[in-house]
Structures are given as structure tokens and as C-alpha cells.
Amino acid sequence: MAQPALSTEIDFELPPVLLNEQGQMRTVGIEIEFVGPSAERTVQALQEALGGRLIEVDPHAFALKESSVGDLTVELDSRILHPGKQAGTQKGVLPKIAALFGFAARYLVPCELVTAPIPVDRLQELNRILAILRRVGAKGTQDGPFYAFGLHFNPEIPRRDAATLTAFMKSFALLNPWLRREASPDATRNLLGFADPFPAEYVRRIGDPNYWPDIPTFIDDSLAYNATRNRDLDLLPLLHDFDAARVRAVLPNEKINGRPTFHYRLPDARVSDPGWSIAPDWNRWVCVERLAADREKLDAVGAAYLSFAGEDKSWANVVEQIVRS
């Protein structure tokens, strides 16, 4: 008698706080980088499978509105190829040059698929997107020696207050050695560089169980150590949403779009691998949220970190036992 096939699909776990301050299901935006099919071919395949209205923004940027999994955009991941995003370049020769250059660059510059915010209880639908990308020949990090494509999460903050902001940052910073180890960055990422972890001095500051500042103090401390987008957890869009003037006083020219979300940058998108799923990376983010929601455990982990004398690799082993308990 034939045995039933075993499902290898991994479930997306739910965070401990499901609703935002308006009582609605929290959302998360997803960004996936890949090469291979053009942005146009990719969005056409998505429309065929998911429905919706296709809109051409320029020859290398497309939007899919009202699909069965919500709104999506697909574009070559380079601003110079999208003249409509540059002030004063809607007319003239530059759009034509950008379009021609883009047709050549698409073999080197990755495409980026960006979803509109998706309710956290509907993330399983992302598997349909990955299946479509594989069907049209999308390639991931593992498919070329110099491919270094990322996966990004933009989870909505559940409460816009100092305690929530601080708890999430504490939890992420304390778990980050484990998160980075589990993400297993491709060797290409190590060669080409990836986001830096938070400075140890900053982690020790915020890991202190007595560190529960107000929002202005939190922002000032964060900018003192992290006035850059080059972090695993890029807080600048969220901090800008909290207090744009305070952020702009330090970073007047940085490209930042304020929004009430964290920006978690992961180093590896293996879209062509039929065994690859977004779920494990998302589930590790849920571990961050669970620790953030447990004040007693969070303070205990912070105290343990301050007394820990070992290296990050050893600390990763310690916190792994905590998140799995």
C-alpha cells in the first residue's frame, strides 16, 4: 500500500500580539530579491496566477493592484533605472537612457518584489508567490558566485509607545547573535558584506534591565550609535515615524521613508530552491516578539548578557536555549 506523501510546508507562526492599536490584525510587508526574469515577465506571471490589475510605472517597474494576495510591486532594484522617482526627470532624454540601460542591467541588477502590508495570519499565501517566481526561472543567492540577494520583513509595531519600542529593540539585540547564526548567510554575503550588527557597547546599554527610556531618549541613544541604515534591524523608518525632526537633525540627507514598522534585513533569498521557505526566518522573528512580550524574561536575559564574558558565538548557544524553552 502506497504511503501518503509527507507535507514539507512549514507553518508561519503567529506573534503574541496580533492586533494593532486600532484593533485590526497587524500586518507585515515582505521584500524579496532575485534575478532572471524581467520585472515585466515576473509581474505578468503573477497576474496570470493571482489576478489583479497590472500597471506599468516605467519599463522596469510594475505594480499589480488588487491581486488575491494584495498589492505587489516588481522592479529592478536601482533608483537610477527609474527616472520617475527622481525629481525633475519625468520628461526629456533621461527616461529613454534609463530604459535602455535597464534592459542591459537586468542581468546584473536584482529585481525586487515588494508586497503591500499583509495580515500576519495570511502569510501562508506567500508560498504561492515563491512558486510563481520559481516557475518563471527566478534565481536566488545560491545560483551565482556573486549573487547576494536579500529577504526583508517590515512588521508593524503593535503599540506606538516607548515600552514597546524598547522591548522590541532589547529583544532583537540580545537574540541577534543567534538570529545571524541561524540565518546562515551565504558565503557571497560574507565576501560582499552585509548589514553590521549593533555595536556591543549599544547592546550593553539597552540590555540593562534598568534601561526603559522615554521615546526622545531612546531615539537619541539609537542615533548616537546607529546613525546608519547598515543594521540588521533598521530602525530609522520607525524612528522617523515617531519623531521626524529628531531624526532629520542628525541625518538631514538620508533616504528615509517614515512608517510604523521595523525593517528587518535578512541576507539570503534562495528563491529557486524548491525547499526554501520564508517561514523559518519569519518564525525566528516571532521569537523576538515573544521575548519582547515577556518583561520578566527579557530583563533576566539582559542581566545574563551583562554578566556574560564569552564571545557572540557562545552567547548564541545560550539564548538558543532560552527561545526554545
Side-chain angles (χ1 to χ4, degrees), residues 14 45 67 94 100 169 179 319:
L14 292 173
S67 83
L94 181 56
L100 292 172
M169 189 61 246
L179 292 169
V319 295

Side-chain angles (χ1 to χ4, degrees), residues 7 35 50 52 59 63-64 68-69 80 94 96 99 110 126 133-134 159 167 188 206 220 245 264 288 291 308:
S7 173
V35 293
L50 305 175
L64 183 62
S68 60
V69 297
I80 65 170
L94 181 56
K96 297 179 181 179
L126 291 173
L133 292 180
R134 291 176 188 129
R159 301 286 180 273
T188 301
I206 65 171
D220 289 344
Y264 181 23
V288 173
L291 181 59
F308 187 77

